[in-house]
Amino acid sequence: MQCYLIFISFPCHLTMLTKVCEKFFKMCTFVHQILIPRYNMSNIKRLRKGLNIKLKGKADYILEQADMAKSYAIKPTDFPGLTPKLKVKEGHTVKAGTSLFFDKYKPEVQFCSPVSGKVVAIRRGERRRILEVIVEADGANTYEEFTKADPASLSADQIKESLLSAGLWPCFIQRPYGVIANPSEQPDNIFISGFDTNPLAPDYDFILSGQTKTLQTGIDALAKLTKGKVYLGLPAEGASKSFQGLKNVEVNTFAGPHPAGNVGIQIHHTKPINKGDLVWTITPQEILYIGRLFETGRFDLSKIVALTGSEVQQPKYYKTIGGANIETIVKNKTKQEGKERIISGNVLTGTKIEEDNFLGFYSSQVTVIPEGDEYEFMGWALLGFDKFSASKTFFGSLFPKKEYTLNANLHGGKRAFVLTEQYEKLLPMDILPVFLLKAILANDIDKMEQLGIYEVIEEDLALCEYACTSKIEVQDILRQGINTMIKELS
Amino acid sequence: MKAIRNIFEKTKPYVQKGAKYHWLHSVHDGFFTLFFVQKDTSKSGTHIKDYLDLKRTMAVVVFALVPALLMGIYNTGYQHYKAIGELATTGFFDICLFGLIKVVPFIIVSYVVGLGIEFVFAQYRGHEIQEGFLVSGFLIPLIMPVNTPLWMVAVATAFAVVFAKEVFGGTGMNIWNPALVARAFLFFAYPSHMSGDSVWISLKDTDKVVDGFTGATPMALAAAGTPDYSVMDAFIGLIPGSIGETSALAILIGAIILIVTGIGSWKIMVSTVAGGLFMGFLLQTFAVNEFMAIPAWHHLVLGGFAFGAIFMATDPVSAAQTSKGKYIYGFLVGVLAILIRVVNPAYPEGMMLAILLMNTFAPLIDYYVVEGNIKKRLKRATANA
């Protein structure tokens, strides 16, 4: 009998409960609004998914002029999907801005020498694939002269022509696919991320300081190239002052952990890419290249690079030139306590290089971490106070502010997919990453398209690869899928 | 440590391909990786990798199961001495010792048989030993009645590893939870050893039982229409039942470990409990007999419900894999478990069958969740076009 009574009175209880809940929520919102006035500036897109990996060795805000390197190189391997065709031979003399090679399938896309000097070597790998075209600097710094003009007064075609001939076209990456943009197409929009949330990433506020004018020139040029708008993604806190007052851009603000600074994530939360859409992306340092081209008429790859990582004696910023031999930055500046791994770029998406190799075209960071090629006794069973993990299975997670020295060890064997929802927690997109990867592994083109392969490139899923318990090579699989799409749909 | 490593490194050439003992290479590899995290470093993709690997993952689950095992050991002794009326005169250590003697052989048999088969398959397929069985091998003893003959445990384990796991391709590929398949195998092959009044409490033929002793589980009593149990005993785990499933308290500790470390899905746990409560409440409301009338929340501490919800339903491989799917999957596990338990007279406990059934349907649930994602993307595309 009693239970019948409870059942009958249940709706009454429910209404009461809802009322109480409503009041409670109203109170919460009220308090929230008073305490955090920002809350109502609803322009901020708050992303909750993701992870900031706290590594030791963040660069101090010190800028040092790196010595002029003896040699510079442009590496065709920096550009996914590129088939290079050489324009120079060993022994040729070149100026800064002289084309070294071009894209076999889009011959108007040139890749130019960053300095003046002599082509000393063309290094090839397996099946004679070109790895590096190396130029020995002559120290004279002579430049090819390109047209100097205010982009606002030029037509889209003239701007395109300038950028192509000056070798700055590779700065444009297109989505879908994350390859160099096709100059014969016009993008719907152009997206720029104004901050970098990758581990130990350079602070744009520091590296762009005082460059507002050049940035504006570059952005004016970009604005002519698109049908739509130029979007700039800024962080909710600590945005670079150089971006203040920029015209011709629409600003979106993002808050949240990495990968909030990835342009792909920002696109997804601004204008997600559908089938048939085409957008281009570019980074601020590359906009500076473009700005300088129009201001000075020169191909000037000067950039500021952060030397970071736990194995660096004094992490700081260096002014150098894109493609420089990193000897000038790294040599004798690491701790040399054990075997080290030097990465052009960050630990998630960068490329492993040797000490006498060259800075990648897109890199604005060099990271040095321990190689970690050592056995660890019962490593999987230790308490792990010094172990950082996306999960909470190690005691290190009790100290959320601690910074870690992480090495390149795999920390376990490769397995099939076992854990679920591990990737989803790290990808602030409405995408089911594991199902997408499985579609790629099954070579199912329809499914890849349906599950959103157009919206992601490797960097967006890099965090998933980092955290993967089964040590699955997510970025490789994704690139394999993208290559299939390019092949099948072209 | 260096000495151990030297042993492994020195024996390595003998198990290389083409060497005399190549047939032992999986075993060598299995133990080497158990003792030492290997020195392989990242070759492509990210340069740093999370410290969490599958060994750690499985170790966390095993760790979470330890409270249930300890309570199971104690309860095995407790039930024995209670049945023969010597509980008051027996010390804590004797109770534990009795339990240990009974339970440890189960674990040994399960691991030896299961891992043996895993080693053979790994060798045959030429891949590394996979860690999935570390958990399955721990689960199997915990869901057996204490009087199950050891040979049955061996046969069931072998059946489960071969037919529920390896035929699908090993860890990560299976459709059903291997431990539950082992239990289901025995349940249908040897029903008299899996249910009834004589299987739950370890007694020798010579033992004299006290007056009024039945040996039945509280749930069996309730099903028979004479609910007679103390909820507190059921919560702490001092009731007859399978070895590891009786103590809701120990299972709760395990649940906290799984949720805090993030290894077990709280979504499945919560929705399973919600489903169980929902069904229990429904049955209670429309009760026509004593069993249906027991309060909904009592179901959570009786039988295998808690153990299944925390450790079995959450198996990431056989459960639903999408976020939304997990809620649906868990809820239906809970609903079905209580429905089978209360309404179907043939089966005194529904958790095992409910989970196996929902394992079967998990891919279907995921299919519709994925379709939902696809449709949303398609809608967005057509809206923009």
Side-chain angles (χ1 to χ4, degrees):
Chain A
M1 193 59 208
Q2 239 179 356
C3 29
Y4 285 109
L5 274 178
I6 291 172
F7 188 62
I8 292 161
S9 61
F10 185 66
C12 285
H13 292 151
L14 207 66
T15 9
M16 251 169 63
L17 198 71
T18 353
K19 272 186 187 162
V20 171
C21 284
E22 249 172 41
K23 276 209 173 145
F24 182 70
F25 278 125
K26 266 186 194 161
M27 212 168 70
C28 288
T29 336
F30 183 67
V31 172
H32 206 147
Q33 278 170 353
I34 290 178
L35 290 181
I36 311 167
R38 262 181 307 137
Y39 188 72
N40 263 357
M41 287 171 56
S42 53
N43 234 351
I44 301 177
K45 295 194 174 74
R46 289 177 191 280
L47 311 178
R48 273 177 301 150
K49 293 174 171 182
L51 175 74
N52 286 329
I53 300 174
K54 294 192 190 64
L55 294 181
K56 262 186 202 154
K58 196 169 170 50
D60 293 329
Y61 293 116
I62 301 168
L63 182 63
E64 191 178 306
Q65 175 69 47
D67 297 338
M68 181 81 184
K70 281 198 204 81
S71 55
Y72 292 76
I74 298 292
K75 299 187 274 188
T77 47
D78 283 344
F79 313 97
L82 173 72
T83 313
K85 202 119 173 82
L86 285 171
K87 259 191 162 176
V88 291
K89 286 197 177 118
E90 283 176 29
H92 278 192
T93 42
V94 291
K95 291 179 187 171
T98 307
S99 173
L100 297 175
F101 57 89
F102 59 95
D103 185 343
K104 187 179 172 189
Y105 300 106
K106 286 174 252 161
E108 58 279 35
V109 180
Q110 308 287 334
F111 298 82
C112 298
S113 170
V115 289
S116 61
K118 201 167 78 174
V119 178
V120 286
I122 291 160
R123 232 178 254 166
R124 289 173 188 270
E126 272 172 46
R127 295 159 72 192
R128 294 188 43 79
R129 197 166 70 117
I130 302 167
L131 300 179
E132 291 147 10
V133 181
I134 305 171
V135 178
E136 196 179 69
D138 58 9
N141 282 341
T142 50
Y143 292 89
E144 296 274 0
E145 294 300 327
F146 299 101
T147 22
K148 203 158 79 173
D150 176 14
S153 66
L154 297 175
S155 73
D157 282 339
Q158 284 169 317
I159 288 173
K160 200 180 269 187
E161 192 50 45
S162 281
L163 294 175
L164 281 166
S165 59
L168 285 177
W169 199 258
C171 297
F172 293 110
I173 301 291
Q174 71 157 60
R175 302 271 183 133
Y177 307 142
V179 294
I180 296 174
N182 185 349
S184 60
E185 291 172 322
Q186 198 184 17
D188 302 329
N189 295 294
I190 294 178
F191 284 87
I192 308 156
S193 171
F195 63 116
D196 191 342
T197 46
N198 277 295
L200 302 177
D203 184 347
Y204 280 2
D205 189 27
F206 186 73
I207 61 178
L208 300 176
S209 73
Q211 309 249 37
T212 311
K213 197 173 148 276
T214 316
L215 276 174
Q216 185 64 61
T217 313
I219 284 170
D220 290 344
L222 299 187
K224 291 256 166 142
L225 295 177
T226 166
K227 287 185 255 184
K229 290 180 188 163
V230 177
Y231 288 96
L232 173 65
L234 290 181
E237 278 166 26
S240 170
K241 287 170 218 55
S242 305
F243 290 126
Q244 275 172 12
L246 281 183
K247 285 185 234 59
N248 261 340
V249 287
E250 182 157 318
V251 172
N252 289 306
T253 312
F254 298 89
H258 181 65
N262 278 11
V263 70
I265 308 295
Q266 299 175 2
I267 298 171
H268 183 85
H269 290 277
T270 315
K271 278 188 181 304
I273 302 167
N274 298 309
K275 190 184 182 182
D277 291 356
L278 177 74
V279 303
W280 292 354
T281 69
I282 187 167
T283 67
Q285 291 230 60
E286 287 149 14
I287 298 174
L288 290 181
Y289 297 164
I290 294 176
R292 283 198 290 262
L293 174 72
F294 288 107
E295 285 177 355
T296 65
R298 285 172 170 180
F299 177 71
D300 180 0
L301 289 193
S302 297
K303 58 158 58 171
I304 294 172
V305 171
L307 176 64
T308 60
S310 59
E311 301 313 291
V312 176
Q313 290 168 10
Q314 198 196 359
K316 58 183 167 188
Y317 291 86
Y318 289 89
K319 194 160 196 285
T320 182
I321 296 174
N325 193 314
I326 57 157
E327 247 181 4
T328 50
I329 301 176
V330 173
K331 202 169 189 186
N332 298 329
K333 288 178 181 125
T334 57
K335 290 179 183 164
Q336 307 281 358
E337 281 163 0
K339 211 167 156 194
E340 290 164 350
R341 172 176 292 218
I342 302 169
I343 301 158
S344 172
N346 62 60
V347 288
L348 293 179
T349 59
T351 317
K352 178 184 167 181
I353 56 174
E354 298 304 320
E355 198 191 41
D356 57 353
N357 202 286
F358 306 89
L359 191 66
F361 186 83
Y362 301 108
S363 304
S364 44
Q365 178 180 10
V366 173
T367 314
V368 188
I369 58 171
E371 181 70 19
D373 54 344
E374 289 148 3
Y375 291 103
E376 190 186 11
F377 182 67
M378 297 295 269
W380 57 275
L382 302 175
L383 294 177
F385 281 100
D386 56 348
K387 291 184 173 179
F388 181 82
S389 170
S391 72
K392 297 212 162 46
T393 52
F394 293 92
F395 280 89
S397 61
L398 294 176
F399 310 99
K401 291 208 170 148
K402 194 172 158 183
E403 291 180 338
Y404 295 82
T405 302
L406 300 184
N407 60 32
N409 193 297
L410 290 180
H411 305 304
K414 293 194 174 108
R415 296 290 180 267
F417 286 106
V418 173
L419 290 197
T420 56
E421 274 201 271
Q422 202 175 21
Y423 295 3
E424 281 85 340
K425 279 184 209 158
L426 301 172
L427 181 66
M429 285 176 144
D430 188 16
I431 278 183
L432 300 165
V434 175
F435 289 88
L436 174 60
L437 292 173
K438 285 184 178 172
I440 294 171
L441 291 172
N443 219 4
D444 184 341
I445 293 162
D446 289 341
K447 269 271 145 62
M448 288 187 227
E449 183 179 303
Q450 290 168 345
L451 290 168
I453 196 165
Y454 297 134
E455 299 179 50
V456 285
I457 66 168
E458 293 98 314
E459 59 175 24
D460 300 320
L461 290 180
L463 207 51
C464 304
E465 176 170 321
Y466 157 76
C468 185
T469 306
S470 302
K471 316 293 173 193
I472 286 167
E473 284 157 346
V474 174
Q475 298 188 75
D476 279 0
I477 296 174
L478 183 59
R479 180 45 65 183
Q480 182 195 322
I482 290 173
N483 286 343
T484 312
M485 296 302 288
I486 294 175
K487 212 169 98 194
E488 295 291 325
L489 297 183
S490 64
Chain B
M1 268 161 249
K2 206 156 182 208
I4 308 174
R5 202 174 82 204
N6 283 341
I7 296 172
F8 281 115
E9 276 182 337
K10 275 189 186 146
T11 49
K12 205 167 182 177
Y14 296 101
V15 296
Q16 298 292 19
K17 205 161 191 177
K20 195 175 171 189
Y21 296 103
H22 180 60
W23 58 277
L24 274 175
H25 113 272
S26 276
V27 181
H28 181 273
D29 195 68
F31 281 103
F32 197 6
T33 55
L34 182 72
F35 281 110
F36 292 96
V37 171
Q38 297 292 293
K39 60 177 182 177
D40 304 325
T41 54
S42 154
K43 297 271 183 306
S44 74
T46 61
H47 298 275
I48 52 172
K49 305 269 178 184
D50 203 295
Y51 278 97
L52 181 69
D53 67 344
L54 208 54
K55 282 195 177 62
R56 180 79 176 186
T57 310
M58 296 301 170
V60 169
V61 183
V62 169
F63 185 65
L65 280 163
V66 166
L69 173 73
L70 294 180
M71 264 318 284
I73 288 172
Y74 177 77
N75 190 43
T76 301
Y78 179 89
Q79 294 300 333
H80 169 80
Y81 287 110
K82 191 179 170 194
I84 59 172
E86 290 176 12
L87 196 57
T89 56
T90 315
F92 175 78
F93 287 105
D94 284 335
I95 293 177
C96 290
L97 189 68
F98 183 88
L100 267 179
I101 291 168
K102 281 283 157 197
V103 174
V104 169
F106 274 72
I107 299 175
I108 293 171
V109 166
S110 152
Y111 270 126
V112 167
V113 172
L115 286 179
I117 296 171
E118 290 264 330
F119 276 111
V120 171
F121 268 91
Q123 182 65 42
Y124 176 70
R125 292 218 175 96
H127 59 52
E128 274 188 58
I129 305 277
Q130 310 204 331
E131 294 83 359
F133 192 76
L134 291 180
V135 169
S136 302
F138 208 88
L139 286 171
I140 289 172
L142 293 183
I143 53 173
M144 295 290 168
V146 69
N147 278 351
T148 315
L150 289 177
W151 67 266
M152 275 188 201
V153 178
V155 171
T157 307
F159 178 85
V161 172
V162 175
F163 289 100
K165 194 161 158 201
E166 290 302 339
V167 292
F168 293 105
T171 302
M173 309 291 185
N174 46 304
I175 298 176
W176 298 289
N177 184 327
L180 277 180
V181 171
R183 165 87 201 217
F185 174 77
L186 289 185
F187 187 80
F188 290 109
Y190 306 98
S192 62
H193 288 272
M194 285 293 119
S195 54
D197 294 348
S198 61
V199 302
W200 309 109
I201 295 166
S202 171
L203 292 170
K204 285 197 280 287
D205 292 340
T206 50
D207 286 334
K208 263 197 194 142
V209 298
V210 293
D211 290 342
F213 170 81
T214 65
T217 63
M219 230 172 49
L221 291 175
T226 52
D228 172 28
Y229 55 87
S230 131
V231 177
M232 202 56 205
D233 278 354
F235 178 71
I236 293 172
L238 301 176
I239 53 171
S242 297
I243 294 170
E245 69 171 24
T246 56
S247 173
L249 176 67
I251 293 163
L252 198 63
I253 295 171
I256 291 169
I257 294 172
L258 289 183
I259 291 174
V260 167
T261 55
I263 294 297
S265 164
W266 62 267
K267 290 174 186 166
I268 293 177
M269 296 180 197
V270 168
S271 56
T272 305
V273 170
L277 282 176
F278 170 77
M279 197 63 217
F281 185 72
L282 216 64
L283 289 170
Q284 185 195 348
T285 313
F286 299 103
V288 290
N289 62 33
E290 291 273 338
F291 193 21
M292 282 171 84
I294 67 169
W297 64 276
H298 284 196
H299 282 296
L300 304 185
V301 295
L302 290 179
F305 190 89
F307 194 83
I310 305 302
F311 294 114
M312 295 292 192
T314 52
D315 169 16
V317 177
S318 55
Q321 305 190 353
T322 52
S323 178
K324 272 182 219 160
K326 280 178 184 169
Y327 290 115
I328 301 169
Y329 162 89
F331 190 80
L332 289 178
V333 166
V335 166
L336 283 173
I338 302 302
L339 190 70
I340 297 171
R341 174 188 283 190
V342 178
V343 176
N344 189 332
Y347 304 119
E349 172 56 306
M351 203 57 188
M352 171 184 85
L353 293 169
I355 295 173
L356 286 175
L357 193 66
M358 287 320 295
N359 281 172
T360 315
F361 283 109
L364 186 70
I365 298 172
D366 281 337
Y367 174 81
Y368 281 106
V369 176
V370 173
E371 282 295 299
N373 183 278
I374 291 172
K375 282 212 185 97
K376 218 185 320 176
R377 187 163 293 109
L378 214 60
K379 209 171 150 191
R380 191 180 77 196
T382 42
N384 280 7

